[in-house]
Amino acid sequence: NAGVTQTPKFQVLKTGQSMTLQCAQDMNHEYMSWYRQDPGMGLRLIHYSVGAGITDQGEVPNGYNVSRSTTEDFPLRLLSAAPSQTSVYFCASSGRGQGPSTRYGYTFGSGTRLTVV
Amino acid sequence: AQSVAQPEDQVNVAEGNPLTVKCTYSVSGNPYLFWYVQYPNRGLQFLLKYITGDNLVKGSYGFEAEFNKSQTSFHLKKPSALVSDSALYFCAVRGANQAGTALIFGKGTTLSVSS
């Protein structure tokens, strides 16, 4: 059981480049979300999804796109990278209800450290 | 709108002393509350959660948290701190009636335990 897998772990982009951060979970979780972590700011919600085909914006969605074509995958796309998007990105997932899949709350991936120069 | 406040950026305690990391929340309806811990250059690890029931919740590594509805607080506690407890701690919340929405996090509190 791999949990939540994020790739890549590290990435350096030039301003204006685009890229996709991958997130996959193998727990059949309905809910998935993306956060960015910046010093002194905690984790801020970028986008989230309640199921395949359904996404919504969080607190800081500008400059990012998401899609949810399958239950397992929730990629985050940076359309035109900017230095302000330098951050550590975390993907998380959770299941519905109080069953074993939600016993440990939301499960987080290990993060992607992105630097935009 | 949902929100979480962690009023202390840093908490310093001596090893063996009790520790408290504070968290207050604002959410419509009943809250689902969580504590996570993050060690340097690592992801977030789940510590404990309050969904319903007993106001005192026990979690991993000897931590516990007390839900206080009247004070809208969910403080994290441990009777005897260890140096290995030094880390960044996050409180998070979502509304019980907001199925599918993601967690809202506080800004985090750095716990430093000295030997």
Side-chain angles (χ1 to χ4, degrees):
Chain A
N1 189 338
V4 178
T5 302
Q6 288 185 239
T7 55
K9 294 190 182 302
F10 301 94
Q11 183 72 48
V12 178
L13 288 179
K14 294 182 178 180
T15 298
Q17 286 185 317
S18 63
M19 78 160 295
T20 299
L21 279 63
Q22 301 292 344
C23 176
Q25 52 92 8
D26 61 358
M27 298 170 284
N28 202 31
H29 281 172
E30 294 89 347
Y31 310 145
M32 298 185 74
S33 50
W34 276 102
Y35 296 86
R36 59 177 289 173
Q37 183 179 17
D38 303 291
M41 303 293 289
L43 280 83
R44 292 182 291 171
L45 180 63
I46 304 172
H47 286 284
Y48 63 98
S49 169
V50 301
I54 306 171
T55 64
D56 205 348
Q57 296 180 351
E59 180 184 359
V60 288
N62 293 341
Y64 307 95
N65 274 356
V66 292
S67 61
R68 185 98 180 268
S69 57
T70 67
T71 300
E72 296 77 19
D73 300 300
F74 191 43
L76 178 72
R77 297 182 184 86
L78 280 70
L79 308 175
S80 178
S84 61
Q85 294 178 303
T86 294
S87 186
V88 181
Y89 292 84
F90 289 101
C91 179
S93 74
S94 178
R96 192 189 308 273
Q98 296 304 306
S101 66
T102 57
R103 181 177 181 181
Y104 297 106
Y106 286 68
T107 301
F108 281 79
S110 57
T112 295
R113 186 174 295 273
L114 176 68
T115 302
V116 183
V117 297
Chain B
Q2 302 173 108
S3 65
V4 174
Q6 294 181 243
E8 302 155 316
D9 291 335
Q10 179 145 351
V11 171
N12 299 310
V13 299
E15 188 173 32
N17 284 357
L19 70 86
T20 298
V21 182
K22 296 180 179 178
C23 171
T24 59
Y25 67 90
S26 174
V27 67
S28 58
N30 293 322
Y32 287 177
L33 293 155
F34 301 79
W35 276 101
Y36 286 84
V37 60
Q38 184 180 37
Y39 297 99
N41 299 314
R42 303 290 294 275
L44 275 75
Q45 297 179 29
F46 171 81
L47 278 179
L48 51 82
K49 68 178 180 180
Y50 172 83
I51 302 298
T52 187
D54 194 347
N55 289 344
L56 184 64
V57 179
K58 294 188 182 299
S60 305
Y61 313 123
F63 283 93
E64 59 189 25
E66 186 169 11
F67 171 63
N68 188 317
K69 188 172 184 178
S70 63
Q71 297 185 4
T72 62
S73 66
F74 190 56
H75 301 330
L76 181 70
K77 300 181 180 183
K78 188 174 182 180
S80 179
L82 299 172
V83 172
S84 57
D85 292 330
S86 299
L88 181 58
Y89 291 80
F90 289 100
C91 181
V93 69
R94 79 161 173 87
N97 62 347
Q98 294 170 311
T101 58
L103 296 178
I104 300 300
F105 283 84
K107 294 186 177 182
T109 298
T110 299
L111 174 65
S112 179
V113 182
S114 57
S115 58

